[in-house]
Amino acid sequence: MNFHPITIKDIAKALGLSVSTVSKALRGSHEISQETKNNVLAYAREHNYKPNPIAQSLKRGRSKSIGVIVCNIDNNFFSQVINGIESVARQKDYNIIITQSRESYEREVTNSLHLSARSVDGMIVSLSAETRNVDHFANLYKKGLPIVFFDRVTDEIDTHKVIANNFKGAYEATRHLLEQGFRRIAHITSSLSLSITLERLQGYKQALTDAGLEPDQHYIKLCQHGGMIQEETRQALTELLQLEHRPDAIFTASDRLSTTTLSLLRQMKIAVPGEIALVGFTNSISADIFNPSLTAVVQPALEMGQQIMDLLIQLIESKRPVTSFEKRVLETELKIRDSSLHP
Amino acid sequence: MNFHPITIKDIAKALGLSVSTVSKALRGSHEISQETKNNVLAYAREHNYKPNPIAQSLKRGRSKSIGVIVCNIDNNFFSQVINGIESVARQKDYNIIITQSRESYEREVTNSLHLSARSVDGMIVSLSAETRNVDHFANLYKKGLPIVFFDRVTDEIDTHKVIANNFKGAYEATRHLLEQGFRRIAHITSSLSLSITLERLQGYKQALTDAGLEPDQHYIKLCQHGGMIQEETRQALTELLQLEHRPDAIFTASDRLSTTTLSLLRQMKIAVPGEIALVGFTNSISADIFNPSLTAVVQPALEMGQQIMDLLIQLIESKRPVTSFEKRVLETELKIRDSSLHP
DNA sequence: TTGTAGGCGTTATCAC
DNA sequence: GTGATAACGCCTACAA
């Protein structure tokens, strides 16, 4: 099962040169005569020579590959971000290695170790819902591995970050529900350890406050697993429905929570928006064919991916240590559909 | 930006041993004394020694990583397959590198080259809709790279393959529509160059024939880009609607085609299933919250992924050249929901 | 302008 | 039982 791709050594032998001459010629060094260069390049092209990236990695300590850790690729938001990352990576000749934490802290840790062991030149990370401690990233980062966080970020590591304007997105979603005349607006969200959870929760609360309403803890439900476990969401929803003053609207804070909640409401034969209106934070490309079509806070995922990769490449290719970091905040868009319209 | 993880050399120096002794001790060779082994292992554990996989790859010519090429990860079928692949890979300590062709032949070729250049030990491939020629894989395969094809496979390369029973899935979907009383059943599918297209088309036709109906070319629409380009699907649908005898049902052959068709029908204000019923080949986890909920041929994607990876590892780790190959065919499941019920 | 030598981290071979 | 040496493919001082 062995490949025998042509190597520098083969070229050297064929042309009666030394490997170093060939190596230099291939890289266009000006200490090599034009004639030799031409010969080498012609031979290389003809025999389809490709430098062995493994050997290059070993030698240079850089692999021209970057690792991505997200909770789940099976999610339009993340797959769109990845598409953005990939489009830039492709231009700059980086490979990306995608891994999933599936919201598990343990898998996040092992993935990060695997990737660093594979000498990725940098990492792009959105934290898992279970993660309370980011030492695994802090350690890598301290050793010099460039990391860019996005979406679910941490304050504990000072590096570039790219997020959506979660506060404003949540604020607008909630205000929209208020404008539609809903008053008892519940919020189903993920683990409080996630930055997005806090930011969206703040936006939700602020909108209520600005409308003269008091946020009510009973209307706020946390799902530690971010909707990955349907039973957890069912439990949250059931509790909301059993409240003395049942909510007349729900604002869900993530893709999976939104679809799961809608699915559960339908199973429970609760009319949406008739009995309960719904707005979700989601990039689902199918939101318009949901029943009812789902009003959604949409993030500019593709653009986020591009900016993330731009920033990471900046870190990787910077000659001198980078000391000043930015947190880019991209605006969301509220797509109003049927699920939030007042009956 | 350099890591300085501990190496065998460091251990050797610290313990006053030679690198080769340390190397052997770490691998538990029996030509090393128990005492030395203990010392080395203790030191390694204490200093968190991890062998450098890049160096191992270079030395061994194997990288313990495998490349995956699919058209799109933003698709429940493929992301579920990938989860299956990953679960086995994780157990067997393989890394997977996921790439997307986005239905482009050119990207498929470059991805395959990138992956082979990165010395993946094997590849898992589902062909792009544009692909007419599989020389890029045949060449790698001839040079000894193990490849397993799934879903969209080719007859031109003799290796393991894993597919769903597309014929039967399509047959059952069509028969279901017939049983519901529909008679003018259209079929929207992808490029004829894809194996799944042909298999599903055959199943569709056979079901019609078995019901005493003559398949009609006008009712069969091909979308070369597999639904990635909405305009193409719109065109196909429009043509169907302009037929003298407009179809009363549509069977769509892929995930993206199904959601796009449903979305377009809704835009066109055509009642589903009232005016036109719909059955789709899809693994979308949201099919039950579509409007209407979508009757679907579902593939055992997770299990497919596991079997694919099992087969690939078999190929990779086989001591002697494998000469007999299998094509595993897994059964689909028809999930009947609202979109196909006779009004 | 070209070549030699050494090293990246690991492992296999062979000698001690 | 242990160690020296060479090799995987590439790169880069430094020497010629």
Side-chain angles (χ1 to χ4, degrees), chain A residues 53 76 83 100 118 289 291, chain B residues 63 74 76 83 100 117 289 291:
Chain A
N76 282 288
N83 285 340
Q100 305 181 80
R118 285 227 148 280
I289 55 172
N291 186 7
Chain B
S63 61
D74 169 358
N76 282 288
N83 285 340
Q100 305 180 78
I289 55 173
N291 186 7

Side-chain angles (χ1 to χ4, degrees), chain B residues 287-298:
Chain B
D288 67 319
I289 55 173
F290 286 174
N291 186 7
S293 61
L294 182 64
T295 296
V297 184
V298 180

Side-chain angles (χ1 to χ4, degrees), chain B residues 112-128:
Chain B
S112 69
L113 292 175
H114 259 128
L115 288 172
S116 84
R118 290 216 82 68
S119 302
V120 291
D121 296 342
M123 267 186 216
I124 293 173
V125 179
S126 177
L127 297 168
S128 95

Side-chain angles (χ1 to χ4, degrees), chain A residues 101 103-109 125-138 149 152-157 189-195 197-198 222-226 232:
Chain A
S101 67
E103 304 290 19
S104 148
Y105 169 71
E106 189 232 325
R107 289 190 57 165
E108 182 177 288
V109 173
V125 179
S126 176
L127 297 168
S128 94
E130 261 182 38
T131 303
R132 299 285 179 282
N133 177 310
V134 294
D135 288 352
H136 48 305
F137 292 121
F149 288 94
R152 298 134 164 240
V153 303
T154 173
D155 283 339
E156 291 177 36
I157 299 178
T189 189
S190 308
S191 164
L192 275 181
S193 60
L194 294 175
S195 58
T197 300
L198 293 172
L222 305 179
C223 294
Q224 299 301 326
H225 300 275
E232 193 181 54

Side-chain angles (χ1 to χ4, degrees), chain B residues 169-170 172-174 176-177 185-188 200 249-262 272 277-284 287 290 292-299 332-340:
Chain B
E172 285 173 357
T174 311
H176 164 69
L177 286 169
I185 302 172
H187 184 40
I188 300 182
R200 291 170 192 175
I250 301 177
F251 166 44
T252 46
S254 79
D255 245 293
R256 195 57 81 95
L257 285 173
S258 302
T259 50
T260 307
T261 299
L262 181 51
V272 181
L278 188 62
V279 173
F281 230 100
T282 172
N283 275 50
S284 169
F290 286 174
S293 61
L294 182 64
T295 296
V297 184
V298 180
Q299 303 181 64
T332 61
E333 182 192 3
L334 181 66
K335 284 236 181 192
I336 297 172
R337 299 198 183 87
D338 293 342
S339 67
S340 62

Side-chain angles (χ1 to χ4, degrees), chain B residues 15 25-27 36-46:
Chain B
L15 266 46
L26 286 170
R27 347 193 50 243
T36 307
K37 275 194 222 174
N38 291 342
N39 285 340
V40 170
L41 289 172
Y43 189 93
R45 196 183 325 276
E46 191 183 338

Side-chain angles (χ1 to χ4, degrees), chain B residues 18 20-21 24 31 33 36 59:
Chain B
S18 76
S20 49
T21 305
K24 285 174 192 158
E31 41 179 331
S33 74
T36 307
K59 181 68 197 171

